[in-house]
Each structure stands twice: as structure tokens, then as C-alpha cells.
């Protein structure tokens, strides 16, 4: 498990109050029974910890899986490292 | 129980600085939403709002008075002056002050003051804060300032229920009149919280749109924050008739409920209870309602839930109802929303014109009522409801009848 993935799993577990063991890359919000307000808190924590800004509606965390979210974060981190995006306020 | 009528109305909104221009904007579907001005947007993703533009407080208040007034109280006073002037009542005469209630809702109170003084303290490291900070920012300031201005010495207080604050406030005032505790009331709501931290806080919830506000249509992206005030003079019916006052509409009843569930996700059952409660309280049959001014925030969650609740309460009559959200033109004025939107219900009752749902593109299969898209419709309106469903799951629906 990559450290990005590990951090995201731990944020989801903490913010939504669910067992770490229940979260898989294939899980969707619906599978995990995560409500909208928990979802925005998860996004907030991810943005705050990684110092990135996720686009408003992409990844479609509510319909797609945790994997989509991990990939989106990894992509943004790679862009940030390459200097193609400016550092943002969360 | 006594009948209660509206004999004065005043408003200030993104559509104009009085009730007439606010109603005209609603009727025309002329959007008051535009690029944010006077508030720095370097750090905000949201760049649009429904602001009150071209408002120069100094033309309304002298400097000494202004020192006491946050923008939210300025709005409340401007709207109250218009309403009281229209009603033609002097609350300082004939012992009226003690027989008048002053109940004004707001979501957050003096947010501009809060923001300015916080910046002074945290950013400028200035340890001295303005001595009138507290009296400006307290959420009861709009109610207090209106009571002071007009000598209203009966029951007076603020009401706080986020986006339903106005409707909860006006329902309180109505009840006091109906039950004979007072003979008059000056009531409504005010909001002025378009500051950078507030915009950022709404952004963080991911429910704000950056194109415009498009209630009930498929392309809706969320709410657009607004501001302003709506204030009304309520009066006992026989008294209003006896003095020959112009009766704008009858305040017929209200329904309230709490979702007692999710803090933000709207509950269909909660909305149904408030809608059905308003009909019962006003002794109105569902079939007598011709128009509903919807809460219609244009968020993904609100609009289908509100639609389903209306369908459930109105049954077959739901297809005969005109339902519009005027938030496409004046934005979501939060604690002032219900009061500004009462202008729409009163206009519909008086002129037989349904104000449209502006900025409407394509229909959403999940929202299947007659939303009067984009163009006003001539249609007699006998009775109307005005919905407010707040964060916190607090719902308040008011019922008005055409003056008779």
C-alpha cells in the first residue's frame, strides 16, 4: 500500500468513523455508507494534509471508488512535484 | 382567533433597494447575480454572488447612528422604514408601541463587523477593538435597531434558524397577533454575510455554484449566496379595515417542523410536515393553493426532495400548482430569504403574476413540477405558500391568502 493510499484510508476511517479494515480500493461512498457531510470532511482533510485542491466534482467520489480518489490525489501530487500546478490554499 | 393582514412591506436585495424593484426583478426574471464586488476574491474560488449593489449607507444614516449599525442592521432598517411608511402607522402614538411586536430573523447577525474586528485583531495585531463591536454584531441587533427607530416597545427579539430565520420570525409575530398578545408587528429578516471567510466556508461544503443559480433544472450546480432584508407590518384585520389601510395580503398560517436527522441533508418527511402543517393552520385545502414560492436552492439535494414533498402533500393538485424559486434572481439570502421571498408571494397574489424560475435550462427528470421556467405567467392566485428549509433541518412554511 502506497503511503498516499494509507493516508487516505486512514482519513476516511477517522472522518466517517468506520473500521480501516472495511475500506478497500474498490469501495464506493455508497458501499461504505458515507453521507455527504462526511464526504466533504474527507475531501477537506485530504486537501489539508497533502496541500492540494481537488476539483469540485472530480473525482466523483460519490459514484466512483476510493481507487479513483487515490489516483486523483497521486496525480495532483505528481503535478505539484513537477511544478505544473501552483501550490494552493486548501 | 383574529385575522392578520399585511399592511406594509419593504425590501432591499440584489434586485433593488425597495420592495417594488425587488418584485419587478422577480417578475422579469432579471438576475441580480454577478461578479463579487467590494470583497476581495483573490482567495475565493466562488466569484459570484447576489449582492446589494450601489448601497451607500451614509445616504440613509448619519455618522453617529451608523457607528452602531452593522450592514445587516442597515438593511433591516432600510426595509423597515419602507414598510412602516407604507403602513402609515406611528408606533409612538396612541400607546401602540406597547401593543407592537418587533421580531426579525437573521442567520448570523453582524458578520461584517465580526470579520472586520477579527482582521484587526488577528491580522493587524491591533489589540484595541471597536467599543461598539458587540452591539453591532449581536444577532438581535436588527430587531433592536428597528424597535429603537420606531419606538416599538412590545415583545422584541431576534430569531435564528439559518435559512428559515425569516419565516420562523414572521410566524412568531403572526401568532402573537392572532392570539391577541399584540395588535401590530414589524417583522421579517435580514442578512449580510458576504465576507471572504463566509464565502470560503460555503465553498468548503461544495454546494455553491460558480456559473449562476439554476433552481430545479438539470444543469443546476448549487446555491449562490445573497444578502438583503425584507420587513413587513402585520396588523389585525378589523383594525386595518377600520382605518382604511391598503391590505397587501392576509397572513393565513404557518407550519413548522424539524427533520431531527441529518444536519444538512434535507428530509422529505420534514418538508411534508411543514407544508401540511401550513395548510391545516391556515384552514386551506390543498386545491386552494395556486402558487408555491419554493425554497429551491438549486443544490443537488434540495430540489428533488422539495419536489417529492410537494407531490406527496398535494397529490393530484401538484400538477396544477405553479411552483417557482426566485433564488435565481436574488440568490440565497439565507436568514433574509423567507422575507425577501414573501415579496414574491405577495406580488403573485396581488397582481396575478407568477414570478418565474430564472436561468432554467433543461428539465431534470427528478424535478417534475411546473416551475414556470424563465418567463412570468399571468394567472390568478387565491392563496400561496412560501417555503424555507434550513440547515439544521429546521423547516418553516408560511401561507398567505389574497386580500379580501
Amino acid at each position: 500500500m502506497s503511503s498516499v493510499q494509507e493516508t487516505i484510508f486512514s482519513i476516511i476511517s477517522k472522518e466517517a468513523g468506520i473500521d480501516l479494515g472495511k475500506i478497500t480500493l474498490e469501495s464506493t461512498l455508497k458501499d461504505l455508507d458515507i453521507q455527504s457531510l462526511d464526504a466533504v470532511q474527507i475531501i477537506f482533510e485530504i486537501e489539508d494534509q497533502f496541500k492540494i485542491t481537488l476539483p469540485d466534482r472530480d473525482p466523483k467520489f460519490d459514484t466512483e471508488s476510493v481507487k479513483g480518489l487515490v489516483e486523483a490525489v497521486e496525480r495532483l501530487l505528481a503535478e505539484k512535484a513537477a511544478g505544473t500546478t501552483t501550490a494552493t490554499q486548501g | 382567533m383574529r385575522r392578520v393582514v399585511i399592511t406594509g412591506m419593504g425590501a432591499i436585495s440584489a434586485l433593488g433597494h425597495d420592495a417594488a424593484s425587488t418584485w419587478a426583478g422577480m417578475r422579469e426574471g432579471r438576475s441580480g447575480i454577478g461578479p463579487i464586488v467590494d470583497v476581495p476574491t483573490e482567495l475565493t474560488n466562488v466569484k459570484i454572488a447576489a449582492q446589494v449593489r450601489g448601497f451607500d449607507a451614509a445616504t440613509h444614516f448619519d455618522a453617529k447612528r451608523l457607528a452602531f449599525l452593522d450592514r445587516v442592521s442597515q438593511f433591516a432598517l432600510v426595509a423597515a422604514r419602507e414598510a412602516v411608511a407604507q403602513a402609515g402607522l406611528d408606533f409612538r402614538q396612541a400607546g401602540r408601541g406597547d401593543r407592537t411586536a418587533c421580531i426579525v430573523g437573521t442567520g448570523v447577525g453582524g458578520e461584517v463587523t465580526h470579520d472586520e474586528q477579527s482582521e484587526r485583531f488577528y491580522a493587524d495585531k491591533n489589540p484595541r477593538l471597536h467599543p461598539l463591536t458587540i452591539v453591532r454584531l449581536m444577532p438581535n441587533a436588527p430587531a433592536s435597531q428597528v424597535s429603537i427607530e420606531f419606538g416599538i416597545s412590545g415583545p422584541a427579539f431576534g430569531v435564528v434558524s439559518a435559512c428559515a430565520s425569516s419565516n420562523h420570525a414572521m410566524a412568531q409575530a403572526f401568532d402573537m397577533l392572532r392570539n391577541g398578545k399584540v395588535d401590530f408587528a414589524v417583522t421579517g429578516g435580514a442578512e449580510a454575510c458576504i465576507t471572504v471567510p463566509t464565502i470560503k466556508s460555503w465553498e468548503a461544503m461544495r454546494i455553491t455554484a460558480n456559473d449562476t443559480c439554476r433552481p430545479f433544472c438539470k444543469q443546476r450546480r448549487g446555491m449562490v449566496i445573497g444578502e438583503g432584508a425584507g420587513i413587513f407590518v402585520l396588523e389585525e384585520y378589523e383594525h386595518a379595515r377600520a382605518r382604511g389601510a391598503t391590505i397587501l395580503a392576509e397572513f393565513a398560517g404557518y407550519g413548522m417542523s424539524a427533520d431531527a436527522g441529518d444536519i444538512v441533508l434535507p428530509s422529505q418527511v420534514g418538508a411534508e410536515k411543514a407544508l401540511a402543517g401550513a395548510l391545516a393552520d391556515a384552514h386551506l385545502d390543498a386545491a386552494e393553493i395556486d402558487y408555491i414560492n419554493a425554497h429551491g436552492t438549486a443544490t443537488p439535494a434540495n430540489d428533488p426532495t422539495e419536489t417529492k414533498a410537494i407531490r406527496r402533500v398535494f397529490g393530484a393538485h401538484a400538477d396544477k400548482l405553479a411552483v417557482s424559486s426566485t433564488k435565481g434572481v436574488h440568490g440565497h439570502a439565507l436568514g433574509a430569504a423567507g422575507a425577501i421571498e414573501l415579496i414574491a408571494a405577495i406580488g403573485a397574489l396581488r397582481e396575478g403574476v407568477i414570478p418565474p424560475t430564472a436561468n432554467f435550462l433543461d428539465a431534470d427528470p427528478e424535478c417534475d413540477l411546473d416551475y414556470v421556467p424563465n418567463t412570468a405567467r399571468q394567472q390568478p392566485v387565491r392563496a400561496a405558500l412560501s417555503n424555507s428549509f434550513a440547515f439544521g433541518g429546521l423547516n418553516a412554511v408560511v401561507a398567505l391568502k389574497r386580500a379580501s
Side-chain angles (χ1 to χ4, degrees):
Chain A
M1 199 187 279
S2 75
S3 74
V4 169
Q5 185 182 324
E6 211 171 314
T7 309
I8 291 175
F9 276 34
S10 122
I11 288 172
I12 294 172
S13 161
K14 181 166 169 282
E15 294 302 316
I18 49 179
D19 269 2
L20 202 52
K22 281 193 181 157
I23 306 164
T24 69
L25 279 174
E26 285 69 41
S27 313
T28 61
L29 278 196
K30 211 170 164 223
D31 301 337
L32 299 172
D33 198 24
I34 293 174
Q35 302 297 312
S36 68
L37 204 56
D38 287 329
V40 295
Q41 289 180 81
I42 289 166
I43 299 285
F44 167 76
E45 285 298 333
I46 289 172
E47 289 185 337
D48 206 40
Q49 289 210 19
F50 292 108
K51 304 296 172 215
I52 55 172
T53 299
L54 287 159
D56 247 4
R57 275 156 201 262
D58 186 40
K60 290 185 177 54
F61 188 31
D62 42 354
T63 51
E64 290 168 9
S65 62
V66 172
K67 190 174 175 213
L69 184 65
V70 172
E71 286 171 356
V73 171
E74 283 173 340
R75 194 167 55 242
L76 284 166
L77 287 171
E79 284 172 14
K80 197 168 102 171
T84 49
T85 57
T86 49
T88 55
Q89 298 79 23
Chain B
M1 276 190 291
R2 309 195 306 173
R3 288 173 69 186
V4 177
V5 293
I6 301 170
T7 54
M9 65 176 173
I12 178 163
S13 72
L15 298 170
H17 296 183
D18 56 24
S21 55
T22 295
W23 166 240
M26 290 169 169
R27 202 180 45 205
E28 293 156 17
R30 165 174 59 80
S31 184
I33 293 169
I36 293 173
V37 293
D38 301 329
V39 176
T41 54
E42 293 82 19
L43 300 180
T44 65
N45 301 323
V46 169
K47 307 288 187 194
I48 56 166
Q51 291 173 291
V52 171
R53 289 186 169 76
F55 179 71
D56 179 7
T59 63
H60 296 276
F61 309 100
D62 63 38
K64 192 147 176 60
R65 183 85 198 276
L66 206 48
F68 287 85
L69 305 175
D70 181 88
R71 186 170 169 91
V72 71
S73 294
Q74 296 167 22
F75 288 167
L77 283 167
V78 167
R81 284 173 179 176
E82 184 188 4
V84 171
Q86 181 175 29
L89 288 166
D90 182 347
F91 296 107
R92 288 193 168 82
Q93 296 298 315
R96 285 192 195 116
D98 289 349
R99 297 290 302 162
T100 304
C102 182
I103 307 174
V104 181
T106 184
V108 294
E111 188 61 26
V112 172
T113 298
H114 191 183
D115 185 51
E116 281 171 359
Q117 297 301 314
S118 297
E119 184 169 23
R120 192 177 158 92
F121 187 74
Y122 290 115
D124 304 343
K125 311 283 182 203
N126 186 335
R128 276 183 205 85
L129 297 189
H130 195 280
L132 297 176
T133 300
I134 299 295
V135 299
R136 278 187 209 154
L137 70 72
M138 58 193 190
N140 58 307
S144 298
Q145 292 296 345
V146 171
S147 101
I148 290 166
E149 171 114 355
F150 299 104
I152 298 168
S153 44
F157 49 89
V159 168
V160 176
S161 57
C163 309
S165 301
S166 283
N167 275 4
H168 277 111
M170 296 187 294
Q172 279 291 310
F174 163 72
D175 247 354
M176 285 192 186
L177 259 157
R178 181 164 64 169
N179 297 327
K181 298 237 182 213
V182 295
D183 299 321
F184 311 94
V186 177
T187 182
E191 199 78 89
C193 64
I194 303 180
T195 61
V196 175
T198 312
I199 297 167
K200 294 300 294 179
S201 302
W202 283 107
E203 262 176 36
M205 294 192 81
R206 296 175 179 259
I207 54 164
T208 42
N210 219 347
D211 51 351
T212 189
C213 177
R214 306 181 185 282
F216 295 111
C217 83
K218 196 172 165 186
Q219 290 87 349
R220 70 183 185 280
R221 295 296 301 264
M223 52 174 273
V224 172
I225 192 169
E227 61 177 354
I231 300 284
F232 302 87
V233 175
L234 306 189
E235 184 172 353
E236 193 272 318
Y237 171 69
E238 296 297 344
H239 186 278
R241 264 195 64 170
R243 72 182 184 95
T246 300
I247 294 173
L248 302 174
E250 178 166 353
F251 201 121
Y254 66 86
M256 295 175 182
S257 69
D259 295 345
D262 195 281
I263 191 82
V264 291
L265 270 186
S267 142
Q268 185 186 329
V269 173
E272 285 168 14
K273 283 181 193 163
L275 283 160
L279 292 176
D281 189 52
H283 302 292
L284 284 164
D285 288 330
E288 290 177 83
I289 303 293
D290 294 311
Y291 172 55
I292 298 180
N293 184 283
H295 188 53
T297 51
T299 58
N302 175 81
D303 295 5
T305 306
E306 186 170 11
T307 297
K308 289 185 188 88
I310 291 170
R311 281 214 169 275
R312 185 68 182 261
V313 170
F314 284 85
H317 185 65
D319 289 313
K320 296 190 181 132
L321 278 172
V323 178
S324 72
S325 166
T326 45
K327 287 189 172 74
V329 292
H330 53 68
H332 193 348
L334 309 169
I340 291 172
E341 289 159 26
L342 205 68
I343 302 281
I346 292 171
L349 289 162
R350 292 185 79 199
E351 294 183 16
V353 173
I354 309 286
T357 299
N359 312 320
F360 195 96
L361 299 175
D362 300 316
D364 174 352
E366 281 207 277
C367 301
D368 57 356
L369 293 166
D370 173 8
Y371 302 110
V372 195
N374 299 321
T375 311
R377 182 185 302 155
Q378 297 277 343
Q379 179 187 318
V381 178
R382 295 162 294 167
L385 299 182
S386 181
N387 291 350
S388 287
F389 306 131
F391 271 6
L394 311 182
N395 311 305
V397 174
V398 303
L400 298 187
K401 289 202 284 194
R402 191 164 60 199
S404 60

